[in-house]
Amino acid sequence: FCTLLMLDRIFGVGLGWLLLVAAVAQLSSLARGLSSPSQSIRQWTVGPVDPGVNCMCPGVRSELEANASCLCLNAPAYSVTMPNTLLGALLHSVPFDPMVDRNLNRISPTPFLRRAWWLNSTFAACASTQAAILELRGINYRADVLVNGVVVASNTSIVGPFRRFVLDVTALQESTNSLAIRLVPPFDNTFPPNSNTTDLSITFVDWSPDPPDRSMGILEPTTLSCVALPVSFLSIVPNTTVGESEFNVSLSVSFKQLARCLPVNASLTVVLSLSDGNVINVTSAFNNTTPQKLRVLLSSTDYGSLRFTNKTYLWNPWQIGPPTMHTAAIYLNAGTVALELFRGKIAFRQVSSFIDAKGSRQFVVNRHPIQIRGGGWAPDLFLRADEQKLYNEFLMIRHMGLNAIRLEGKFMWDGFFDLADSMGLMILPGWCCCDSWQHWAYWGKEQYAVAASSLRWQLNRLARHPSVITFFYSSDQLPPARVEHMYLQVIRDSLWPNPTVSSASATPSPISGPSGVKMSGPYAWVPPAYWLSDDNKNFADLGGAWGFLTEGGPGSSPLTEMSWSKTVSAKYRWSAAGLLGEMFSYHCANPMGLFRDMRYFVPALNARYGSASTAGATLHRAQVATFEAIRAMFEGYSRKKHDGATGVIQWMMNNPWPSNMWHLFDFWQGVGGGFYGARRACSSVNVMLSYTDWSVAVVNSLFEDVWYRTTPLTITAAAIAMNGSELWAGRVTVGDSLPADAVLQLPQLTVPLATVSSAHDVVLVRLQWNSPAGTNDVNDYWLSYPMDVINWTDSNFFRTGVSRFANFSGLLQTANTSDVSIEDKVFSVREPEGTILNLTLRNVGERIAFAVSIHITSPVHPIEVTPTLCSENYLNLLPSERRQIVCEMPTLATSTGALVHISTYKGTAQGE
């Protein structure tokens, strides 16, 4: 084709083109669309370049490993499926679970340490009239690429996991084709003594232990496409401007010629299949005067069909409206050949941001200012993609009332963003902290090239996803001027339609101005009052609910007893050292980091709730503590969302492996106190108590008015002793409606805590209000007087000291588990949710049943069914009180024999 088109240019329009038309006419399969679908190259044979090396196993550190054999993956060859890391792929076929006990320490890193591996596969030949285009993505870290034994690219050019490489291998095809990749692992460290590494790879920073293979592998699909013309699609960038009554769309389409094959005059057609079935067809002619990269802009200025008055076509975050998606097909028209460049989902929406009067970055979606509430995302430690697990976890995020995910240096597979688009979640991606991505002083020519190319490809692939609302082009530190100028040029060249932020910290840039965000911590436990104690002028970089917190939270999140039993063999689950025992510490964050154990959590837990002598009682108390701490953070931000508190990213949302550190739901998709604390704080309508002045506020997290047509919204507050007697009560009638996205402060409803708690170690303050449907909702706080006293002078970036702790010892004077009766238990199946449990609980005792937990175990396997998402959990029941709970879980093969496990705070202490 290229030769024929070159004849056209030499001899004028006619000869070459006529020959081309004649050739194409013989191949009707080429006349429209792709000649054949892309081949996904998934099956590989892998093995180290130097097999049989003597594996050096991690040293035996304790009796926990004394009898453990070493897993040495150094055989000449293994059959695996890609994309994956090498270990992730190998673990599919090796009967070994690295996530339990100390098994991760049993995998020898020797076969991966600075050693190359061969990956071998095959692909089918294209027709002789077709171009064969090999696409490589996610190569971590360097690769020599050979087709039929011929080197087509070397490890000096194929570098970096966040790039895309497109190779024309047409001339090398045979009847049977081999593809070989010699893969060299990255060397990218976070911790000294190797903190000057420069491989721009993937690390888990201090989140977890390092994977032994350093995430080397092919992390995204490898494809071979047989196409009519050697052209590679780069991006489609929808840019939307939303007005009061209409919105306008422009579409920028970029593609690249792998050889100069297009005629001077060609055209591009975009077919938009809208969500309601309507179809828009837009064609733009262009002059092919650029040797390689071409960009075609289709705007509403030139095409009236790209102006819309139907705002139901707009994509929205799930709390604002439906996340409407449309389908786009893009064709490159060259004579009678129409090559389908792209077919996939796109959306229309406008995202902007501004720095408000308090210096906070406020994101705006479709003219709606929205508070970002989310968590930092951690993929599986071996980067294994699990679509069902991901779907469950996105449901869990919405169940908590959250709307956002921050990605720090982990650019997930395409399906991650597709799912976020369809579920109306917002994604905030960016580069990683602490590793080679911030070792700028050691960067050379290669690092600058890899960084720029990585950013360019990520912006190209993410621009069409409406869920992606920004890009942080650095994390903890402001990049040097040279690096920032380079990034900004790439951003401009890419026509990126969303805001960008210079770093995830508060450091202003002399080039791009203030970031409008902060990274002030904490990362360890702080008392609930921390989040509304923002008037401490001497420590203005501390305190909680102000600004946009890109990462922070109350630290440790011990696993539930059910999840801990999945993680650790029975004989290792408990020791005299409690939560500071060896196995609990092993299952925390990176063993070289600050958060290698729960040293910043356990003293506060024991001082406030008392120490316990069993794993069950201790972990139950830990769930109560994390419920209290997480709820306080999200409520603090919710209460001040119109007062400069524009966003909060809990550190973290989840973990790469079973960990007692930083999560709202755990690796096994188990949920505990932190999950339900977030759900309570971020519910659609929530009434909350301030931990600083004991006043009440009501927050509407919906972007529509809530109407109370039958009974006005009425809020009651009551202070209750552990025996159920009422010590004080107050009541406020708010009115017939609650405005959209509103925060109503109710200073007239302030709890006189000092008075009501004078004769009690602990009191329960219950806030109760009616819903439009006529049901009641509650939010309970357990308080002692005085509460925690913060020592601001004993602070650093990750923790703040406490000079006096609250005393919750009185919580042991509550009801036993046997005092909670299951009055009704009905399982049913409802698609697509799965199995539904309707449960009625009643406190038949004479004291408050405190922190009643609900867990379901399978009738087939005696382990917890996860995820189980209940309307509430860790709830409190007053004497004689009934509560109806609804729990959703994956479809059970049979509910016969499924066990509902109920535990109270006191009950776990007594071993019930």
PDB file of all heavy atoms in Angstrom, residues 405-418:
ATOM      1  N   ILE A 405     -11.333   7.670  44.051  1.00  0.00           N
ATOM      2  CA  ILE A 405     -10.170   6.819  44.276  1.00  0.00           C
ATOM      3  C   ILE A 405      -8.944   7.599  43.829  1.00  0.00           C
ATOM      4  O   ILE A 405      -8.927   8.167  42.732  1.00  0.00           O
ATOM      5  CB  ILE A 405     -10.265   5.512  43.458  1.00  0.00           C
ATOM      6  CG1 ILE A 405     -11.421   4.645  43.950  1.00  0.00           C
ATOM      7  CG2 ILE A 405      -8.956   4.742  43.485  1.00  0.00           C
ATOM      8  CD1 ILE A 405     -11.751   3.496  43.011  1.00  0.00           C
ATOM      9  N   ARG A 406      -7.929   7.612  44.666  1.00  0.00           N
ATOM     10  CA  ARG A 406      -6.654   8.187  44.237  1.00  0.00           C
ATOM     11  C   ARG A 406      -5.705   7.045  43.863  1.00  0.00           C
ATOM     12  O   ARG A 406      -5.531   6.094  44.628  1.00  0.00           O
ATOM     13  CB  ARG A 406      -6.028   9.045  45.339  1.00  0.00           C
ATOM     14  CG  ARG A 406      -4.706   9.669  44.862  1.00  0.00           C
ATOM     15  CD  ARG A 406      -4.052  10.595  45.860  1.00  0.00           C
ATOM     16  NE  ARG A 406      -2.685  10.846  45.424  1.00  0.00           N
ATOM     17  CZ  ARG A 406      -1.633  10.946  46.203  1.00  0.00           C
ATOM     18  NH1 ARG A 406      -1.781  10.862  47.521  1.00  0.00           N
ATOM     19  NH2 ARG A 406      -0.430  11.154  45.715  1.00  0.00           N
ATOM     20  N   LEU A 407      -5.108   7.154  42.681  1.00  0.00           N
ATOM     21  CA  LEU A 407      -4.107   6.206  42.215  1.00  0.00           C
ATOM     22  C   LEU A 407      -2.739   6.867  42.316  1.00  0.00           C
ATOM     23  O   LEU A 407      -2.491   7.869  41.632  1.00  0.00           O
ATOM     24  CB  LEU A 407      -4.367   5.792  40.762  1.00  0.00           C
ATOM     25  CG  LEU A 407      -5.674   5.066  40.453  1.00  0.00           C
ATOM     26  CD1 LEU A 407      -5.765   4.794  38.960  1.00  0.00           C
ATOM     27  CD2 LEU A 407      -5.769   3.764  41.230  1.00  0.00           C
ATOM     28  N   GLU A 408      -1.867   6.328  43.141  1.00  0.00           N
ATOM     29  CA  GLU A 408      -0.524   6.869  43.256  1.00  0.00           C
ATOM     30  C   GLU A 408       0.455   5.918  42.576  1.00  0.00           C
ATOM     31  O   GLU A 408       0.924   4.944  43.156  1.00  0.00           O
ATOM     32  CB  GLU A 408      -0.124   7.075  44.721  1.00  0.00           C
ATOM     33  CG  GLU A 408       1.209   7.805  44.840  1.00  0.00           C
ATOM     34  CD  GLU A 408       1.709   7.940  46.269  1.00  0.00           C
ATOM     35  OE1 GLU A 408       1.190   7.228  47.143  1.00  0.00           O
ATOM     36  OE2 GLU A 408       2.612   8.753  46.505  1.00  0.00           O
ATOM     37  N   GLY A 409       0.732   6.203  41.303  1.00  0.00           N
ATOM     38  CA  GLY A 409       1.733   5.441  40.573  1.00  0.00           C
ATOM     39  C   GLY A 409       1.326   4.043  40.181  1.00  0.00           C
ATOM     40  O   GLY A 409       2.155   3.262  39.722  1.00  0.00           O
ATOM     41  N   LYS A 410       0.058   3.682  40.332  1.00  0.00           N
ATOM     42  CA  LYS A 410      -0.429   2.367  39.924  1.00  0.00           C
ATOM     43  C   LYS A 410      -1.515   2.598  38.881  1.00  0.00           C
ATOM     44  O   LYS A 410      -2.687   2.788  39.227  1.00  0.00           O
ATOM     45  CB  LYS A 410      -0.980   1.573  41.108  1.00  0.00           C
ATOM     46  CG  LYS A 410      -0.155   1.655  42.394  1.00  0.00           C
ATOM     47  CD  LYS A 410       1.222   1.057  42.253  1.00  0.00           C
ATOM     48  CE  LYS A 410       1.990   1.140  43.560  1.00  0.00           C
ATOM     49  NZ  LYS A 410       2.377   2.520  43.938  1.00  0.00           N
ATOM     50  N   PHE A 411      -1.122   2.584  37.610  1.00  0.00           N
ATOM     51  CA  PHE A 411      -2.078   2.871  36.542  1.00  0.00           C
ATOM     52  C   PHE A 411      -2.720   1.562  36.113  1.00  0.00           C
ATOM     53  O   PHE A 411      -2.104   0.745  35.437  1.00  0.00           O
ATOM     54  CB  PHE A 411      -1.378   3.576  35.385  1.00  0.00           C
ATOM     55  CG  PHE A 411      -0.912   4.947  35.773  1.00  0.00           C
ATOM     56  CD1 PHE A 411       0.330   5.134  36.355  1.00  0.00           C
ATOM     57  CD2 PHE A 411      -1.740   6.046  35.623  1.00  0.00           C
ATOM     58  CE1 PHE A 411       0.753   6.392  36.750  1.00  0.00           C
ATOM     59  CE2 PHE A 411      -1.326   7.304  36.013  1.00  0.00           C
ATOM     60  CZ  PHE A 411      -0.076   7.480  36.582  1.00  0.00           C
ATOM     61  N   MET A 412      -3.955   1.379  36.549  1.00  0.00           N
ATOM     62  CA  MET A 412      -4.612   0.093  36.458  1.00  0.00           C
ATOM     63  C   MET A 412      -4.948  -0.260  35.006  1.00  0.00           C
ATOM     64  O   MET A 412      -4.854   0.559  34.105  1.00  0.00           O
ATOM     65  CB  MET A 412      -5.881   0.115  37.313  1.00  0.00           C
ATOM     66  CG  MET A 412      -5.637   0.573  38.747  1.00  0.00           C
ATOM     67  SD  MET A 412      -4.528  -0.509  39.665  1.00  0.00           S
ATOM     68  CE  MET A 412      -5.556  -1.957  39.824  1.00  0.00           C
ATOM     69  N   TRP A 413      -5.362  -1.526  34.813  1.00  0.00           N
ATOM     70  CA  TRP A 413      -5.699  -1.989  33.475  1.00  0.00           C
ATOM     71  C   TRP A 413      -6.955  -1.261  32.981  1.00  0.00           C
ATOM     72  O   TRP A 413      -7.705  -0.650  33.737  1.00  0.00           O
ATOM     73  CB  TRP A 413      -5.874  -3.500  33.465  1.00  0.00           C
ATOM     74  CG  TRP A 413      -7.100  -4.034  34.158  1.00  0.00           C
ATOM     75  CD1 TRP A 413      -8.284  -4.352  33.588  1.00  0.00           C
ATOM     76  CD2 TRP A 413      -7.259  -4.331  35.559  1.00  0.00           C
ATOM     77  NE1 TRP A 413      -9.176  -4.818  34.528  1.00  0.00           N
ATOM     78  CE2 TRP A 413      -8.571  -4.821  35.739  1.00  0.00           C
ATOM     79  CE3 TRP A 413      -6.417  -4.222  36.675  1.00  0.00           C
ATOM     80  CZ2 TRP A 413      -9.056  -5.200  36.994  1.00  0.00           C
ATOM     81  CZ3 TRP A 413      -6.908  -4.604  37.916  1.00  0.00           C
ATOM     82  CH2 TRP A 413      -8.196  -5.085  38.062  1.00  0.00           C
ATOM     83  N   ASP A 414      -7.198  -1.339  31.674  1.00  0.00           N
ATOM     84  CA  ASP A 414      -8.273  -0.560  31.062  1.00  0.00           C
ATOM     85  C   ASP A 414      -9.632  -0.844  31.692  1.00  0.00           C
ATOM     86  O   ASP A 414     -10.463   0.053  31.839  1.00  0.00           O
ATOM     87  CB  ASP A 414      -8.341  -0.845  29.554  1.00  0.00           C
ATOM     88  CG  ASP A 414      -7.133  -0.286  28.805  1.00  0.00           C
ATOM     89  OD1 ASP A 414      -6.479   0.633  29.336  1.00  0.00           O
ATOM     90  OD2 ASP A 414      -6.845  -0.766  27.696  1.00  0.00           O
ATOM     91  N   GLY A 415      -9.865  -2.102  32.064  1.00  0.00           N
ATOM     92  CA  GLY A 415     -11.157  -2.455  32.652  1.00  0.00           C
ATOM     93  C   GLY A 415     -11.444  -1.730  33.953  1.00  0.00           C
ATOM     94  O   GLY A 415     -12.609  -1.511  34.305  1.00  0.00           O
ATOM     95  N   PHE A 416     -10.415  -1.361  34.671  1.00  0.00           N
ATOM     96  CA  PHE A 416     -10.582  -0.588  35.910  1.00  0.00           C
ATOM     97  C   PHE A 416     -11.273   0.737  35.609  1.00  0.00           C
ATOM     98  O   PHE A 416     -12.244   1.130  36.281  1.00  0.00           O
ATOM     99  CB  PHE A 416      -9.203  -0.363  36.537  1.00  0.00           C
ATOM    100  CG  PHE A 416      -9.196   0.446  37.809  1.00  0.00           C
ATOM    101  CD1 PHE A 416      -9.188  -0.189  39.044  1.00  0.00           C
ATOM    102  CD2 PHE A 416      -9.174   1.830  37.785  1.00  0.00           C
ATOM    103  CE1 PHE A 416      -9.163   0.548  40.222  1.00  0.00           C
ATOM    104  CE2 PHE A 416      -9.148   2.572  38.953  1.00  0.00           C
ATOM    105  CZ  PHE A 416      -9.146   1.932  40.179  1.00  0.00           C
ATOM    106  N   PHE A 417     -10.782   1.436  34.591  1.00  0.00           N
ATOM    107  CA  PHE A 417     -11.355   2.744  34.258  1.00  0.00           C
ATOM    108  C   PHE A 417     -12.719   2.600  33.594  1.00  0.00           C
ATOM    109  O   PHE A 417     -13.609   3.431  33.807  1.00  0.00           O
ATOM    110  CB  PHE A 417     -10.379   3.510  33.368  1.00  0.00           C
ATOM    111  CG  PHE A 417      -9.060   3.777  34.038  1.00  0.00           C
ATOM    112  CD1 PHE A 417      -7.952   2.988  33.771  1.00  0.00           C
ATOM    113  CD2 PHE A 417      -8.928   4.796  34.969  1.00  0.00           C
ATOM    114  CE1 PHE A 417      -6.737   3.214  34.395  1.00  0.00           C
ATOM    115  CE2 PHE A 417      -7.712   5.030  35.604  1.00  0.00           C
ATOM    116  CZ  PHE A 417      -6.625   4.234  35.321  1.00  0.00           C
ATOM    117  N   ASP A 418     -12.899   1.544  32.785  1.00  0.00           N
ATOM    118  CA  ASP A 418     -14.217   1.300  32.193  1.00  0.00           C
ATOM    119  C   ASP A 418     -15.267   1.122  33.283  1.00  0.00           C
ATOM    120  O   ASP A 418     -16.379   1.661  33.198  1.00  0.00           O
ATOM    121  CB  ASP A 418     -14.182   0.057  31.300  1.00  0.00           C
ATOM    122  CG  ASP A 418     -13.352   0.246  30.043  1.00  0.00           C
ATOM    123  OD1 ASP A 418     -13.191   1.397  29.590  1.00  0.00           O
ATOM    124  OD2 ASP A 418     -12.860  -0.781  29.508  1.00  0.00           O
TER     125      ASP A 418
END
